Structure formats: C-alpha cells, structure tokens
Amino acid sequence: MAVTIKDVARLAGVSASSVCRTLAAPDKVRPDTRERVQRAVAELGYYPNRAARGLITGRTGNLGLIVPDIANPFFPDIIKAVEARARELDYAVFLADTDEDPAAEVALIRAMSKQVDGFLLVSARCSDDELRSVYRDLPVVVVQRRVRHVPAVTFDDHDGILQAVGHLATLGHRRVAYVAGPRTSWSNKERQRILRLTTSAVGVELVDTGHAAPTLDGGTAVADLVLATGATAVMTFNDLMALGLLRRFRALGVEVPGDISVVGFDDIPLAELVDPPLTTIALAKQKAGRAGIDMLIGLLNNPETAAPRTVLPTQLTVRASTGPARRG
Amino acid sequence: MAVTIKDVARLAGVSASSVCRTLAAPDKVRPDTRERVQRAVAELGYYPNRAARGLITGRTGNLGLIVPDIANPFFPDIIKAVEARARELDYAVFLADTDEDPAAEVALIRAMSKQVDGFLLVSARCSDDELRSVYRDLPVVVVQRRVRHVPAVTFDDHDGILQAVGHLATLGHRRVAYVAGPRTSWSNKERQRILRLTTSAVGVELVDTGHAAPTLDGGTAVADLVLATGATAVMTFNDLMALGLLRRFRALGVEVPGDISVVGFDDIPLAELVDPPLTTIALAKQKAGRAGIDMLIGLLNNPETAAPRTVLPTQLTVRASTGPARRG
DNA sequence: TTGTACGCGTTATCAC
DNA sequence: GTGATAACGCGTACAA
C-alpha cells in the first residue's frame, strides 16, 4: 500500500494536520516538529496524493494536453515545450492522443476532466459547441484553432501562405494544387480560405484536390490525382502529406522540382532530411507550447479574464523541393 | 461546478447509492428506478470522478505510460498501440516524456503514482533499484529492458543483429563501427554485448565510436568520427542516429552505400523515406504496446503472479543504404 | 503551536 | 430493492 499522510504523522508522532502544515507552510510549525516531520517524509518517501488533494482544494496540479496524432512529428515539438514549461511551474501534464477522431477527443476530455485543472487542446477536431461546453466546466486553451469566447494560441497562417504563394508565382507557377487535410480541422479550412484569397490576388489558379488523411499515406494516396490536375506546383495541409507525395512521385519517376514543385506546412524535423529537402512554411511550435501553458495557468489564477489571444509568426523556409515552373 | 452523483440522485429522486448501483450493476435495481437514474445521468451529462472512486476502491482506471522521448518516432508507434488497447479495456492512459533524463523519470513516476493503477515504462532510463522500488508499490511492466523480478516485454535483439551482421559480412565488410546510444539505456548495453559476440563469431572487427545522443543531431555529431575509424559499414543504436549520419555524409559528399554502408535499428516510418532508404532492424512495436498493456492488466487482476516475460521478434529490413564493401 | 472535526465524490456495507 | 453510513487521503476552519 502507498504511504499516506497518516503514516508520516504516526512516524513523526504528530497529527496529520501538522504534517500538512509542515509541507504547506513550514514556518507555521515549531522547528523541532518541522524537523521530525521532514525526517519522516524523507524516510517513508511520502508524496501527497494529488487526486485526493484536488477533491478538497479543487486543484489537482495536473493539466490535460490533447493532440490528434502523436505520430505526426509536428506535435512532439509542441508537447516538449508544454511539458518543459509545465514542469517549471510544478504542474504535471497528462497527455492523450485522439487518433484524429472527434468522438475519441470528447470521450478523453470527459475521462480526464475531473483529474485536471484545465486543458490545452492542440488542433482540436471537435465542434465549436463541444469546445465551448468543455470551456464552461474548466479552463481551456486551444492551439491552432479559433473559437468564439475560448482562449487561443494561433499561427499567422496568412503571412506564411502569402510568402509561399509569392515564392511560387515568382518562379513562374500559374496553376497550383492544394491538398486539403481533415474536414474537421479548423486550420485546414483557414488555410484553404487564405489560399483562395492570396492566389487570386497574384493571378494564380488554385486547384482543389479534395481532402486526404494528414499522414504520409494520405499524401501518397492523393499523388496521382495531383498530377492529373496538371498543376506545376502543389501545396499540402502539412509536411507529412508533402513527404507522402514525394514518395509517390519518386516511385513514378516524377521529378521534384523539375516536373512539379512541392510546398509543405509545419517544418517538421524530417522536412530537411528527405530528398529533395522540402520547402515548407515553418510555425513557431515551441513558442506555441509555452504560450499555451502560460495562458492556461493565467486563466487558472485569474478565472474572470476575457478570453486572451496570441498569434505566433510563420515563415516560409525555401529548400530544394521548389523550383521554376515547367513550361506548359 | 462539475456534476456529481448527488446531483443525479436529486434529479432522479433516489439516493446516491442507487445511482451508484445503477451504473455498476443495472440488473440489481428495479427497472423504473434504473430508467429514472439513466435519464438523469444523460440529462446532466454525469461522469464519475475516477480520482474519488480510486480513493475507496484502490483503482483509478488510469495507467501511466512513460517514454524517454516522444519526438523519437520509435515511441509513437508503441504509444498508439498502448492507447488503442487500453481504450478497449476501458482504461485511460496518462502519458509522459522524460526527455531522456533519469531524474525526471523518477520524479514523474512519483507524481503520477497515486493517480494510476500501474505503469508501463518503455526504455526506462533509471536504475534497476529505482525500478524495483517502484514495482514494490505498484504493478509495473517494462518494455525494452530487463530487470530482475520485474515483468518485461523485450525484443529479440540477438536475432536481428545476427541477421544484420551476417548481411554485412556477406557483402564483404570486415570492419564495422557501432555508434552507441545513451549510457543509461539497457538495450544499448545489450546490443553492444550481442554485437561483440556476433561480429567476432563471423570474423568481423567491431569498432566502438563511443556514446552519442539517440537523436538526429547525435548521429550527425559523430559522423566524422565514424569516417575516421576507416570502417566500411556502420551500425547505430537507433534509426534517428543513422539518419543523422546520412545527413552529415551527404554534406561531406560521402556516398552511401558506395563509400560506407549504414544500418539502423527500430525501422521508424522515416527509414524508408530518406535517400538512400535505410537498412534497419525492425522491431514488433505495435505488438510490444499491446503485449505490455495486456501484461499490466493481467498483473492488476492477479497481483500474485510471478513476473512474466514476453520476447517479440525482430527482423532485418534490407534497403539501399547497405551495399558491397568498398575495396580496402 | 497543535489537534479535532468536517467535507470533497465515490463506493462498500449493512440494515431496512 | 433501497437508503443511511462509513471510509478512502487530504486540507482547513475551529477549538484547545
């Protein structure tokens, strides 16, 4: 059986409340009592049960972090930043993966909600209403999404996309395909919207190839469709899909960027590793994790604040997967 | 405020006990009571507080999953399998990343230990004694490690390494370098031991290049050292390090496999994506996650069992990063 | 300064 | 079949 506050109290020869006090406010107990308690704590390796504490204080010291897919290298960078920052602030992070399934997302939030003080939801796939309903019960910060009345950290997709479209236009591309990500993804909708605006502004035709899974296999599956559109360049919802395209293009003998240019989104660590290295729109991932936690903790300490917003920069990173348009 | 069992009881016009019973054993209450309760539960969106339940039952329904580095694509495959299997069995998984830091590992286990029913520790970096001490308090299953008296799921590294060394020997390699992973890694020690055995058995010289971080950058950093050994082939502790080597080799104009062959470990999804695709020793990752959970649940239901062991297969996957040895 | 008593949300036990 | 009641580990008002 795990060691409880009573075990410590018994060993130290004091009451449970004295143990509690020693831990919470060491200067409110007599030095000799304090010392006896501290020795007992050390000897038994006592560690308070945060769940039980949460029952009475309403605070567990835990935060929930939910992402759609840990296998997508985009998320680990954010997760690492979140965990590092949370550790600094003495919070534990409970991480869960929804497998891109909105239903699983809601179920997970349900299951965790009584055991955490708040949620950081990254690229949440559930509906706005569900999100707001969670927010009614518990502090929530969404990352890479925007929902009315809910605190959010987002990326300035407009800036990055503008750079990318400008880059392609300069290279002579006049027909650009976009491979969309999940229908349930807010940022996918956003990127589609921005792409329509920016391409038409510079006289580039935007071709839609429909939705695909935001994974390697998703990209691979849609590659032939992309080629069939006759586009000289393709942008994807994320880097994994772009890498999937590259894989299929190589198998088909389609040259990149000779036959077609490819632009991804996220700048995951693999992007520069493949052949050719991937041109992509980089997001300030670490900053996002840190900003998200800081915002969440702020909400915890100050629940009545209006929903804050943070927008983080994006930056086109040009590598070898983009080049001059093949002559139509 | 969150909805509690009392709220449900009040709305249904019954006692808390009846609500509890309806949820645990629906057939032990009268149909009309059951229906009233179920309607109230649905209406209020009631969900029991697992932490409070754990207080009395000694079971939280949560499992702890700890990995050294989520950013290493090796782990997400295991994590996914664990979460899928846990969900089937109606357990929630609390996942944490130790950043390859043994101290953080111990701290995390401490922090979580009262909130979970057991731990699945993947590639645990802490000492044997620390591990056994955790095991005294709580059921623990280690994956990719072996500690006396502690239940374990491991991979048959011997088989995979034998295949790899045989493969290289057949290609004419007589001098093979090994880039070691973390000192704290059990499987690194194990692989080193097996390599010494198998290479000497087939008359291949094994060159040690010392330890490096089990990451892309770790591999890149050690690349020059590898070349300096004059080895015609190099094996690494994991795929990430191998990819780091490839990156540096490309920058140096060193051809793979023309100048040097490269063999990784793990078969992460990127391995077949880079150029050249990486020859690597594949591990049954999904099976490991599933087997680990099943073993852990088994322990939960039957605490007195002797520490079980499962060994999963490994398989050399030959791709283009290995070829005939350059003529000395 | 210290200990007692109570309550957090839940389940197990026992009367009824 | 149902409802009090106690107990889990902890924190805090209150009494001593």
Side-chain angles (χ1 to χ4, degrees):
Chain A
M1 200 43 208
V3 35
T4 77
I5 202 169
K6 282 183 185 170
D7 301 321
V8 177
R10 198 177 314 123
L11 180 60
V14 297
S15 75
S17 37
S18 287
V19 177
C20 192
R21 235 176 268 121
T22 305
L23 267 49
D27 37 322
K28 303 210 79 183
V29 300
R30 244 194 348 232
D32 63 322
T33 310
R34 187 191 318 155
E35 200 165 326
R36 284 217 311 284
V37 170
Q38 283 168 345
R39 199 159 38 221
V41 165
E43 187 171 330
L44 296 175
Y46 169 73
Y47 207 85
N49 181 334
R50 292 186 138 178
R53 167 190 295 172
L55 225 46
I56 171 128
T57 62
R59 287 227 182 174
T60 60
N62 301 326
L63 301 177
L65 172 60
I66 298 191
V67 302
D69 182 13
I70 322 181
N72 180 344
F74 170 67
F75 296 107
D77 281 353
I78 295 183
I79 294 170
K80 292 269 194 185
V82 164
E83 291 187 329
R85 184 62 178 149
R87 205 170 298 168
E88 282 176 25
L89 300 171
D90 201 32
Y91 276 88
V93 174
F94 286 159
L95 171 59
D97 170 297
T98 66
D99 240 346
E100 297 280 355
D101 177 1
E105 195 167 273
V106 174
L108 274 168
I109 292 176
R110 274 277 156 72
M112 296 178 71
S113 65
K114 301 267 175 52
Q115 319 191 42
V116 300
D117 297 339
F119 281 105
L120 196 61
L121 306 179
V122 183
S123 308
R125 301 289 192 233
C126 63
S127 73
D128 284 14
D129 282 343
E130 286 167 329
L131 222 37
R132 268 190 295 263
S133 112
V134 176
Y135 187 48
R136 259 194 295 277
D137 284 352
L138 227 51
V140 169
V141 171
V142 293
V143 176
Q144 211 180 36
R145 174 151 181 178
R146 187 151 294 187
V147 184
R148 280 219 287 180
H149 311 308
V150 178
V153 175
T154 54
F155 299 102
D156 184 3
D157 284 348
H158 189 275
D159 185 32
I161 290 175
L162 200 60
Q163 293 177 49
V165 170
H167 171 64
L168 292 176
T170 305
L171 289 168
H173 295 273
R174 290 293 168 263
R175 190 174 166 81
V176 174
Y178 176 67
V179 180
R183 278 169 218 285
T184 45
S185 161
W186 178 87
S187 57
N188 178 66
K189 283 196 209 82
E190 182 73 358
R191 287 167 191 180
Q192 250 171 326
R193 189 183 61 80
I194 297 171
L195 266 171
R196 272 195 287 270
L197 287 176
T198 50
T199 49
S200 74
V202 297
V204 163
E205 184 187 357
L206 183 68
V207 187
D208 201 326
T209 65
H211 297 263
T215 60
L216 279 175
D217 290 340
T220 300
V222 83
D224 296 55
L225 196 58
V226 169
L227 293 175
T229 65
T232 61
V234 55
M235 298 180 62
T236 59
F237 168 66
N238 72 11
D239 280 354
L240 280 185
M241 304 174 86
L243 298 182
L245 283 179
L246 291 183
R247 177 169 62 177
R248 177 70 181 150
F249 287 166
R250 180 191 304 182
L252 291 173
V254 173
E255 287 192 10
V256 176
D259 295 323
I260 188 167
S261 287
V262 178
V263 178
F265 226 114
D266 292 349
D267 195 21
I268 60 179
L270 311 64
E272 58 152 341
L273 223 73
V274 294
D275 182 52
L278 185 66
T279 294
T280 181
I281 296 166
L283 312 180
K285 298 183 277 289
Q286 289 83 352
K287 275 190 191 166
R290 202 184 154 89
I293 285 294
D294 286 343
M295 192 178 282
L296 186 52
I297 304 287
L299 253 61
L300 255 44
N301 295 330
N302 208 339
E304 299 307 324
T305 347
R309 291 283 149 89
T310 299
V311 179
L312 297 170
T314 60
Q315 168 76 48
L316 180 71
T317 302
V318 176
R319 301 203 183 92
S321 71
T322 46
R326 147 172 60 76
R327 306 293 296 258
Chain B
M1 201 43 208
V3 35
T4 77
I5 202 172
K6 283 183 184 169
D7 301 321
V8 178
R10 197 176 316 123
L11 181 59
V14 298
S15 75
S17 327
S18 289
V19 177
C20 190
R21 229 175 276 121
T22 306
L23 267 49
D27 37 321
K28 304 209 78 181
V29 300
R30 240 188 359 224
D32 62 323
T33 311
R34 185 192 320 154
E35 200 167 326
R36 285 219 307 285
V37 170
Q38 283 169 343
R39 199 160 38 218
V41 165
E43 186 170 331
L44 297 174
Y46 168 74
Y47 207 84
N49 182 335
R50 295 187 133 173
R53 166 190 298 171
L55 226 45
I56 174 103
T57 61
R59 288 224 182 175
T60 61
N62 301 326
L63 302 177
L65 172 61
I66 298 192
V67 302
D69 182 13
I70 321 182
N72 181 342
F74 171 67
F75 296 108
D77 281 352
I78 295 184
I79 295 170
K80 292 269 193 184
V82 164
E83 292 187 328
R85 184 65 179 144
R87 205 170 298 169
E88 282 176 25
L89 301 170
D90 202 31
Y91 276 88
V93 174
F94 286 157
L95 171 60
D97 169 298
T98 67
D99 240 345
E100 297 280 354
D101 177 359
E105 195 167 272
V106 175
L108 274 169
I109 292 175
R110 275 276 157 72
M112 294 177 72
S113 64
K114 300 268 173 54
Q115 319 193 41
V116 300
D117 297 338
F119 281 105
L120 196 61
L121 306 178
V122 182
S123 307
R125 301 289 191 232
C126 62
S127 74
D128 284 13
D129 283 343
E130 287 168 329
L131 223 36
R132 268 189 295 264
S133 113
V134 175
Y135 188 48
R136 260 194 295 277
D137 284 352
L138 228 50
V140 170
V141 171
V142 293
V143 176
Q144 212 180 35
R145 175 153 180 176
R146 188 152 293 188
V147 184
R148 280 218 288 179
H149 311 307
V150 178
V153 174
T154 54
F155 298 101
D156 183 3
D157 284 349
H158 189 275
D159 184 34
I161 290 176
L162 199 61
Q163 293 178 49
V165 170
H167 171 65
L168 292 175
T170 304
L171 289 168
H173 296 273
R174 290 292 169 264
R175 190 174 166 80
V176 174
Y178 175 67
V179 180
R183 278 170 219 285
T184 46
S185 161
W186 178 88
S187 57
N188 178 67
K189 284 197 210 79
E190 182 74 357
R191 288 168 190 181
Q192 249 171 327
R193 188 182 63 80
I194 296 171
L195 265 171
R196 272 193 287 269
L197 288 177
T198 50
T199 48
S200 73
V202 297
V204 163
E205 183 186 359
L206 183 68
V207 189
D208 201 326
T209 64
H211 296 263
T215 60
L216 279 174
D217 291 339
T220 300
V222 83
D224 296 55
L225 197 57
V226 169
L227 293 176
T229 65
T232 62
V234 54
M235 296 180 63
T236 58
F237 168 67
N238 71 12
D239 281 353
L240 279 184
M241 303 174 87
L243 297 182
L245 283 178
L246 291 184
R247 177 168 62 178
R248 177 68 180 153
F249 287 164
R250 179 190 305 185
L252 292 172
V254 173
E255 286 192 11
V256 176
D259 295 322
I260 188 167
S261 286
V262 178
V263 178
F265 226 115
D266 292 350
D267 195 22
I268 60 179
L270 311 64
E272 58 152 341
L273 223 74
V274 294
D275 181 52
L278 185 67
T279 293
T280 181
I281 296 167
L283 311 180
K285 299 184 278 287
Q286 291 82 353
K287 275 190 191 167
R290 202 185 153 90
I293 286 293
D294 285 342
M295 191 178 283
L296 187 51
I297 304 287
L299 255 62
L300 256 45
N301 296 330
N302 208 340
E304 300 308 323
T305 346
R309 291 284 149 87
T310 299
V311 179
L312 297 171
T314 59
Q315 168 73 47
L316 180 70
T317 302
V318 177
R319 300 202 182 92
S321 71
T322 46
R326 148 172 59 74
R327 306 293 297 257

